Amino acid sequence: MVYLTRREHFNGAHKLYINSWSEEKNREVFGKCANKHYHGHNFDVYVTVKAVPHAETGFVINAHHLSKIMKREIVDRLDHKNFNLDVPEFKNKLGTSENVAIQIWRWMEPHLTDCKLHCVKLVETENIYVEYFGE
Amino acid sequence: MVYLTRREHFNGAHKLYINSWSEEKNREVFGKCANKHYHGHNFDVYVTVKAVPHAETGFVINAHHLSKIMKREIVDRLDHKNFNLDVPEFKNKLGTSENVAIQIWRWMEPHLTDCKLHCVKLVETENIYVEYFGE
Amino acid sequence: MVYLTRREHFNGAHKLYINSWSEEKNREVFGKCANKHYHGHNFDVYVTVKAVPHAETGFVINAHHLSKIMKREIVDRLDHKNFNLDVPEFKNKLGTSENVAIQIWRWMEPHLTDCKLHCVKLVETENIYVEYFGE
Amino acid sequence: MVYLTRREHFNGAHKLYINSWSEEKNREVFGKCANKHYHGHNFDVYVTVKAVPHAETGFVINAHHLSKIMKREIVDRLDHKNFNLDVPEFKNKLGTSENVAIQIWRWMEPHLTDCKLHCVKLVETENIYVEYFGE
Amino acid sequence: MVYLTRREHFNGAHKLYINSWSEEKNREVFGKCANKHYHGHNFDVYVTVKAVPHAETGFVINAHHLSKIMKREIVDRLDHKNFNLDVPEFKNKLGTSENVAIQIWRWMEPHLTDCKLHCVKLVETENIYVEYFGE
Amino acid sequence: MVYLTRREHFNGAHKLYINSWSEEKNREVFGKCANKHYHGHNFDVYVTVKAVPHAETGFVINAHHLSKIMKREIVDRLDHKNFNLDVPEFKNKLGTSENVAIQIWRWMEPHLTDCKLHCVKLVETENIYVEYFGE
């Protein structure tokens, strides 16, 4: 079993703000991230899959093929988008890195047939990242 | 003469959109950056100053002091802000990296008295950065 | 279950030297690290915690809150310190990266109540790092 | 139990090309990697070992000693080499990152006696890496 | 005047070997780089252009447009290529990083009309890079 | 004229403390860097030289040869050393990054005969670096 990881990139905007809360409570919990005019990040997303390498090609998965799936399922949905306004899945759920990572798992998993999805890692800044292993 | 460079960081949102242009022309010129709901970046800003090191301290500038000026003049104005909506200087001028770098120079220069401002470098993504030398 | 990792930074000095050994044996085992006048590193410390994201906030932990705990428990104790001379825990135990990582776990764990500490990763140079998972 | 990871570096050339396949099929499966004149990469290899730190030295393994084993077993065999032509193990097996990682495990494991080999990670580009855990 | 830099990436193979020299002299001058079966690198190329930002768009150059020129003029010619065998410009001249940087300048310059080419930087490994300023 | 840059690495310890000043004044000017027991850094040093590439070899300088000079002139003097106690040049002058960069220029310049020394860059942390151009 070998694990292969591929990185893709997208830039998004979001705000962490719960409408049913007061402005004060939002500021207290989310700090500067509650700015009502949004802020954004350069997100790096790493998708890790695992399989026994194919006997002839030596591949866990063709990394170019994995890249195409990631671009279609992740980048096209999130790049240069406002998560709160442009992404249906985050209309009623906060687009925290935690929730975005779980959602990326759901988008990717159905399209990985010859190998198994192992991890989605989402890097928000050089100081913060999250990982989701599907359970 | 020695050059000293200090990095600080901020996350912002912006859109590249000229209101007097049509939606089509904005899309044609600015591509995905014209998304009306904004997108964002993790910006790294590098400020370079130059001076003959002080005979006793061996310092061009106290890097901790430079950091404090940068936080007050740059980070407090731009971090977790929407450049188009929250920053007065970009109400009537596009907040491209080029324009932001020039503006940072204007904010910083009056506060550097014992050394000379040499360069403002603004890194928008790992693939794009701009530099402004004040002329 | 989502894993969230936060990075903080400190600069320290140490030497790897066992007083009950001869100078020769120290040099043989620890090489240049045995220099009696100390040497130092820029250490990056990554703390990983895990939890089911909170239903409302979407957070495993507020990353700003985690940062404050790390600064108080780790950075205030180790930054710009000489591990051998300034840190009580390393008076009688070598401050190798392995031992420092285990000690960081002990400092952090009591303060993580709503999520579970998963890993302490300590990066000594770009070529060497250690990880401790608490067992 | 603490995990220690050491990085080493090598530059190699390879092509992904199966001789029993047609030129067309090679191009279809391996894309630009099938160029018959080879292409190359800067490979970073990370070897992770695990052990209870030694009571006196505080070491999982002497990182300098681990480095010497990696240079002898990995770098001397692969650095500035053409995997297809210069490395016996890849005469009849494609030198994909997956297969190279498995081979590195085989070269390293017999030489790690006081600690246990945990992972071989091979970074092919900043966007692709593989990991092998020996099973 | 603002300077804008864009990075692109390619993987190539080359050998440093002068046919009119003996094997011994090649080894003596070029070391491992003289391996007759080639070796390779992940090359990062940074192209820097300069101009007064456009009054309306705030752009030195549209970075997406610069990227397209770089992909056509540089990446399509060098990516997954063997410089010695696949690139006409290096049939009779060694494909050292120095020579490749000069050649990239020649390929790029005719296509930069509204701004001025300032620098071509070619990163061969994390420890070595070259820069060419056109003079 | 092409510029070639080579990176080497060393780990050192220092304190910023002027003996003729009071403890209070040292703390006020140098902050945590005045800790009398020292602190340390992983220093990256980049040396840039310039020349017209050699007609036959295509080299500004053989990067391997430059590396050997840097190891002998810089790394052997500073690696795993305490600048204040182990390096004669910093017995009576503070080992700030500014002063160390100037000193590295003095050590390197006499040994560069076929090319010209252009810049010494010393990276103290990921947030601070200095550059010296010899004038």
Side-chain angles (χ1 to χ4, degrees), chain F residues 5-121:
Chain F
T5 301
R6 170 88 202 185
R7 181 181 74 138
E8 295 293 340
H9 185 84
F10 57 92
N11 306 312
H14 68 165
K15 66 175 172 185
L16 303 183
Y17 195 96
I18 294 181
N19 290 323
S20 60
W21 289 4
S22 69
E23 175 78 18
E24 289 68 30
K25 183 161 180 199
N26 273 295
R27 276 283 160 186
E28 184 193 319
V29 172
F30 296 117
K32 291 186 290 187
C33 299
N35 175 13
K36 69 176 182 295
H37 290 146
Y38 311 99
H39 69 282
H41 298 290
N42 304 332
F43 289 95
D44 274 323
V45 55
Y46 295 78
V47 167
T48 302
V49 300
K50 60 180 173 182
V52 177
H54 186 277
E56 242 184 339
T57 65
F59 277 171
V60 161
I61 187 173
N62 185 320
H64 185 61
H65 180 56
L66 177 56
S67 171
K68 283 203 292 190
I69 301 174
M70 291 174 69
K71 281 180 174 142
R72 188 189 67 215
E73 298 298 324
I74 306 170
V75 178
D76 287 355
R77 280 176 167 114
L78 299 177
D79 189 32
H80 284 76
K81 296 289 167 59
N82 182 308
F83 300 169
N84 305 68
L85 300 177
D86 297 326
V87 184
E89 287 83 353
F90 299 114
K91 286 274 161 72
N92 300 307
K93 191 170 23 171
L94 283 185
T96 60
S97 289
E98 289 92 328
N99 284 341
V100 174
I102 294 173
Q103 187 56 52
I104 288 172
W105 180 285
R106 289 176 188 154
W107 286 329
M108 287 296 297
E109 203 190 22
H111 306 284
L112 297 167
T113 47
D114 296 334
C115 57
K116 207 169 141 37
L117 180 56
H118 174 68
C119 180
V120 170
K121 177 179 174 180

Side-chain angles (χ1 to χ4, degrees), chain E residues 3-112:
Chain E
Y3 296 69
L4 181 142
T5 300
R6 170 87 201 185
R7 181 181 73 138
E8 296 292 341
H9 185 84
F10 57 92
N11 306 314
H14 68 165
K15 67 174 171 185
L16 303 184
Y17 196 95
I18 294 180
N19 291 323
S20 59
W21 290 3
S22 67
E23 177 75 19
E24 290 67 33
K25 184 161 181 198
N26 273 295
R27 276 283 160 186
E28 182 194 321
V29 172
F30 297 118
K32 292 187 291 187
C33 298
N35 175 13
K36 68 176 181 297
H37 291 146
Y38 310 100
H39 68 281
H41 297 290
N42 304 332
F43 288 95
D44 273 323
V45 55
Y46 294 79
V47 168
T48 302
V49 300
K50 61 180 173 182
V52 176
H54 186 277
E56 241 183 340
T57 64
F59 277 171
V60 161
I61 188 173
N62 185 320
H64 185 60
H65 181 56
L66 177 56
S67 171
K68 283 204 290 191
I69 301 175
M70 290 174 70
K71 281 180 174 142
R72 189 190 66 216
E73 298 297 325
I74 306 169
V75 178
D76 287 353
R77 279 177 168 114
L78 299 177
D79 189 31
H80 284 76
K81 295 290 168 58
N82 182 310
F83 299 169
N84 304 69
L85 300 178
D86 297 327
V87 184
E89 287 83 353
F90 301 114
K91 285 275 161 71
N92 300 307
K93 190 170 22 171
L94 283 185
T96 60
S97 289
E98 289 91 328
N99 284 341
V100 174
I102 293 173
Q103 187 56 51
I104 288 172
W105 180 284
R106 289 176 188 154
W107 286 329
M108 287 296 297
E109 204 190 21
H111 306 285
L112 297 167

Side-chain angles (χ1 to χ4, degrees), chain C residues 7 9 11-13 32-33 35 37-44 79-82 85-86 124-126, chain F residues 7 9 11-13 32-33 35 37-44 75 79-82 85-86 124-126:
Chain C
R7 181 181 74 140
H9 186 85
N11 307 312
K32 292 187 290 187
C33 298
N35 175 12
H37 291 147
Y38 310 100
H39 67 282
H41 298 290
N42 303 332
F43 289 95
D44 274 322
D79 190 32
H80 283 77
K81 295 291 167 58
N82 182 309
L85 301 177
D86 297 327
E124 184 181 307
T125 72
E126 65 182 9
Chain F
R7 181 181 74 138
H9 185 84
N11 306 312
K32 291 186 290 187
C33 299
N35 175 13
H37 290 146
Y38 311 99
H39 69 282
H41 298 290
N42 304 332
F43 289 95
D44 274 323
V75 178
D79 189 32
H80 284 76
K81 296 289 167 59
N82 182 308
L85 300 177
D86 297 326
E124 184 180 308
T125 71
E126 65 182 9

Side-chain angles (χ1 to χ4, degrees), chain D:
Chain D
M1 189 80 87
V2 176
Y3 296 70
L4 181 143
T5 300
R6 170 87 202 185
R7 180 181 75 138
E8 296 293 339
H9 185 84
F10 57 92
N11 307 313
H14 68 165
K15 67 174 170 184
L16 303 184
Y17 196 95
I18 295 181
N19 290 324
S20 59
W21 289 4
S22 68
E23 176 77 20
E24 290 67 31
K25 184 162 181 197
N26 273 295
R27 277 282 160 187
E28 184 194 318
V29 172
F30 297 117
K32 292 188 288 188
C33 298
N35 175 13
K36 69 176 180 294
H37 291 146
Y38 310 100
H39 67 282
H41 298 290
N42 304 331
F43 289 94
D44 274 323
V45 56
Y46 295 78
V47 168
T48 303
V49 299
K50 61 181 173 181
V52 177
H54 186 277
E56 244 185 337
T57 65
F59 278 171
V60 161
I61 188 174
N62 186 320
H64 184 60
H65 180 55
L66 177 55
S67 172
K68 283 203 291 191
I69 301 174
M70 291 174 70
K71 281 179 174 143
R72 189 189 65 215
E73 298 297 323
I74 307 170
V75 178
D76 288 353
R77 280 178 168 113
L78 299 178
D79 190 31
H80 284 74
K81 294 290 166 59
N82 182 310
F83 300 169
N84 305 69
L85 300 177
D86 297 327
V87 184
E89 286 83 353
F90 300 114
K91 286 274 160 75
N92 300 307
K93 189 171 24 172
L94 283 184
T96 60
S97 289
E98 289 91 329
N99 283 341
V100 175
I102 294 172
Q103 186 57 51
I104 289 172
W105 181 283
R106 289 177 187 153
W107 286 330
M108 287 296 296
E109 203 190 22
H111 305 284
L112 297 167
T113 47
D114 295 335
C115 57
K116 207 169 140 35
L117 180 55
H118 174 67
C119 181
V120 170
K121 178 179 173 180
L122 188 63
V123 180
E124 182 181 310
T125 71
E126 64 182 10
N127 295 320
I128 301 175
Y129 64 83
V130 299
E131 292 162 297
Y132 181 59
F133 296 86
E135 51 191 26

